[in-house]
Amino acid sequence: MQYLLKVFFKYFMSLVIIGTVAFDAIETPFGKTDKIVGGAATYASLAASYFCDNVKIVGVVGDDFNEEDIKEFKNHGIDVEGLQIKEGEKSFFWAGKYHNDMNSRDTLATELNVLADFDPIIPESYQDCEYLLLGNLTPQIQQTTIKRMKSRPKLIVLDTMNFWMDVAMGDLKETLTMIDVLTINDAEARQLSGEYSLVKAAKKIIAMGPKYLIIKKGEHGALLFDEDRVFSAPALPLAEVFDPTGAGDTFAGGFIGYMAKVGSVNFNNMKNAIIFGSALASFCVEKFGTEKIKNLTQEEIKSRIKEFVTLSSFVLEA
Amino acid sequence: MQYLLKVFFKYFMSLVIIGTVAFDAIETPFGKTDKIVGGAATYASLAASYFCDNVKIVGVVGDDFNEEDIKEFKNHGIDVEGLQIKEGEKSFFWAGKYHNDMNSRDTLATELNVLADFDPIIPESYQDCEYLLLGNLTPQIQQTTIKRMKSRPKLIVLDTMNFWMDVAMGDLKETLTMIDVLTINDAEARQLSGEYSLVKAAKKIIAMGPKYLIIKKGEHGALLFDEDRVFSAPALPLAEVFDPTGAGDTFAGGFIGYMAKVGSVNFNNMKNAIIFGSALASFCVEKFGTEKIKNLTQEEIKSRIKEFVTLSSFVLEA
């Protein structure tokens, strides 16, 4: 019976994550890397795997992506049936250099390669997923992914960026009507809504479709809005930010992974999911690329979560 | 007996606040004011008066400061014996214009007037104060104020700004060795310490003298550091920021007023004091100048505090 239940959950209670799987070359004031594995779906699925046993990835790579790289996903129990490998083509490549403040960066190279004509294949075993994370990609691909599901997932989270607001605002707005949670940063919330006040921005964005809006503020934490509530989550003040690459994707993956774990969608669970997502993101920036989030223990995560509680809790006298 | 106790507390348990008492002319995207009463000591003492019955102000004004203006302090139970009135002279005047984002402003006029040769007079009845707030002024005057107390107050809070780091760093650093709590913003913490990471900045600043450092981050809340702990307080997301003038002073006044009320100096009380200071500051920005913080009820404050609790509390499953 237990086995049957497990099979049942394996099939139905899954979390699908779509996004880039890529090579990055990163330079920060602390050093530089050769091509290392990166991409939104990579960070997000690794983060989610600490909370959810049934993470399935959708993406595309070239034949420069080797067995070892794919094994890393498998080691984390991540299903790679939806990861297309294009023979004779090269994976998406991004190179960037962070400035001293780590809050701004220059893009040195963007080679789309296999991403240029990416058409997501959603395997049969993915199509009943309950949780869906649409990592940063063209709004068209994000929309297609939703449409290729047999039934509408219970929770759809969409991550996007200013670039798509600049070049594909119409598509993005259409996609926003199909999702539950949007995660963007504060500048993007202002751009999308045309409002400087984040409270007003949230009202306008929620009117565009998503029931929940998460505004990521980096070192200043995150805000969660629904139609009439707001939650402010702290960020852990860190002595060293070694490499910010992938922090937002890690946050999103930790967030939806935790939601899939607790299994019911409500504001309180989302508050906690933001704390878990933030905790994972705080690990992410401590080392280059996925180095840190590849090798976490549940003990480390628990202890980091405790730091968040200590950091932000206060007890007022009556 | 109760009367004697009251007299006793009136004398010993007092909170002295020194700072500018001034006229401001403010322009924001929402409108502009003629000369209205402002200044660090004005905002701070009004805020503190909601928590502490025994606030005493030290400052200087010209004879353009009229009886009505002084009555406002008295209405809040604020002792004005230390407020010098210079006949034939004019009060400090500042005029400024805020940009659309409300986070930056242009100074249109600064007329020092009476402030140019301000020598603080600390009345006899002030000299045993237990709590001392040194509002933004030259570090020399802040230092002189400490020296003119009969005994060292139990808690000395100092507020300062980048200007004094530019023109009087030596004096400022000397003053830092004499105080308990420093309140500055994040850019100032970076300037004072030469460290970009606020964790590293806090370590360096605490090594300069203060036992506690409060980093004010405006719409992103505040951080409290001691030698080995950190607390992150949220800011209330507001739909409208009408006029940010005085928010930092109001925060500092609410902070020390609450500390004087609870009466014991420790990290936990400071966390709560930051919440109370932030609540008062959130009122401050809702109207021009002191208009809002002049007329608060305890009910309004309680209800605002509840909003802060709701905003930032989360309960994690075991």
Side-chain angles (χ1 to χ4, degrees), chain B residues 51-299:
Chain B
F51 308 116
C52 175
D53 287 339
N54 200 8
V55 179
K56 297 164 188 290
I57 199 172
V58 177
V60 62
V61 291
D63 61 8
D64 50 353
F65 210 82
N66 62 46
E67 264 309 307
E68 274 308 298
D69 298 328
I70 290 171
K71 216 177 140 192
E72 196 60 53
F73 290 113
K74 291 181 179 165
N75 286 345
H76 282 80
I78 297 163
D79 189 333
V80 293
E81 198 189 336
L83 182 64
Q84 302 169 48
I85 301 169
K86 296 268 178 125
E87 293 300 326
E89 293 189 46
K90 286 170 79 182
S91 301
F92 174 51
F93 172 67
W94 176 81
K97 182 178 172 175
Y98 289 86
H99 301 165
N100 279 333
D101 67 5
M102 287 289 197
N103 279 328
S104 53
R105 68 186 186 190
D106 294 327
T107 289
L108 304 177
T110 308
E111 298 170 12
L112 283 180
N113 300 324
V114 291
L115 210 61
D117 55 359
F118 176 37
D119 185 37
I121 295 173
I122 316 292
E124 176 80 18
S125 67
Y126 284 39
Q127 292 175 18
D128 280 312
C129 75
E130 285 212 292
Y131 296 86
L132 175 61
L133 173 59
L134 303 165
N136 178 37
L137 276 172
T138 76
Q140 268 303 347
I141 295 178
Q142 293 177 317
Q143 214 175 109
T144 301
T145 305
I146 301 173
K147 289 178 183 161
R148 288 183 182 169
M149 295 293 162
K150 252 188 229 144
S151 55
R152 207 257 184 207
K154 185 161 130 184
L155 184 71
I156 304 178
V157 177
L158 182 140
D159 189 41
T160 191
M161 66 184 292
N162 53 353
F163 180 75
W164 306 116
M165 297 173 195
D166 294 336
V167 305
M169 187 63 113
D171 286 349
L172 176 60
K173 285 199 171 169
E174 204 177 290
T175 313
L176 289 182
T177 65
M178 305 167 70
I179 62 148
D180 302 302
V181 182
L182 173 65
T183 70
I184 45 181
N185 70 30
D186 39 0
E188 289 157 353
R190 285 170 174 141
Q191 181 174 352
L192 180 58
S193 64
E195 290 285 351
Y196 186 82
S197 150
L198 296 180
V199 173
K200 288 187 181 175
K203 283 238 175 305
K204 280 205 179 170
I205 291 168
I206 285 172
M208 294 175 187
K211 284 182 277 299
Y212 303 92
L213 170 67
I214 295 171
I215 299 180
K216 300 173 289 185
K217 301 194 297 172
E219 65 161 333
H220 302 302
L223 295 171
L224 166 67
F225 289 91
D226 72 358
E227 215 179 340
D228 43 38
R229 284 172 292 189
V230 53
F231 169 64
S232 170
L236 197 67
L238 295 169
E240 300 277 16
V241 171
F242 202 79
D243 170 19
T245 311
D249 307 310
T250 301
F251 171 83
F255 174 83
I256 199 165
Y258 180 84
M259 289 304 293
K261 180 187 171 189
V262 294
S264 68
V265 174
N266 60 52
F267 197 78
N268 273 335
N269 285 342
M270 283 199 189
K271 295 202 298 189
N272 292 344
I274 285 179
I275 300 296
F276 277 85
S278 302
L280 268 285
S282 75
F283 284 121
C284 178
V285 303
E286 286 181 357
K287 290 197 177 173
F288 268 124
T290 60
E291 206 178 323
K292 182 85 186 192
I293 59 159
K294 271 195 314 209
N295 296 303
L296 291 173
T297 63
Q298 293 294 339
E299 276 318 301

Side-chain angles (χ1 to χ4, degrees), chain A residues 30 100-103 186 190 196-200 217 219-221 223 225 230-235 237-240 258 262 268-269 271-272 275-276 305 308-317, chain B residues 30 100-103 186 190 196-200 217 219-221 223 225 230-235 237-240 258 262 268-269 271-272 275-276 305 308-317:
Chain A
F30 299 102
N100 279 332
D101 67 5
M102 288 289 198
N103 280 327
D186 38 1
R190 286 172 173 138
Y196 185 80
S197 150
L198 296 180
V199 173
K200 288 187 181 174
K217 301 194 300 174
E219 64 160 335
H220 302 302
L223 295 171
F225 291 90
V230 53
F231 169 63
S232 170
L238 295 169
E240 302 279 16
Y258 180 85
V262 293
N268 274 335
N269 285 343
K271 296 203 297 188
N272 293 344
I275 300 295
F276 277 85
I305 292 291
F308 273 81
V309 173
T310 307
L311 173 69
S312 61
S313 65
F314 56 92
V315 179
L316 286 167
E317 282 160 38
Chain B
F30 300 103
N100 279 333
D101 67 5
M102 287 289 197
N103 279 328
D186 39 0
R190 285 170 174 141
Y196 186 82
S197 150
L198 296 180
V199 173
K200 288 187 181 175
K217 301 194 297 172
E219 65 161 333
H220 302 302
L223 295 171
F225 289 91
V230 53
F231 169 64
S232 170
L238 295 169
E240 300 277 16
Y258 180 84
V262 294
N268 273 335
N269 285 342
K271 295 202 298 189
N272 292 344
I275 300 296
F276 277 85
I305 292 291
F308 273 82
V309 173
T310 307
L311 173 67
S312 60
S313 64
F314 56 93
V315 179
L316 286 169
E317 282 160 39

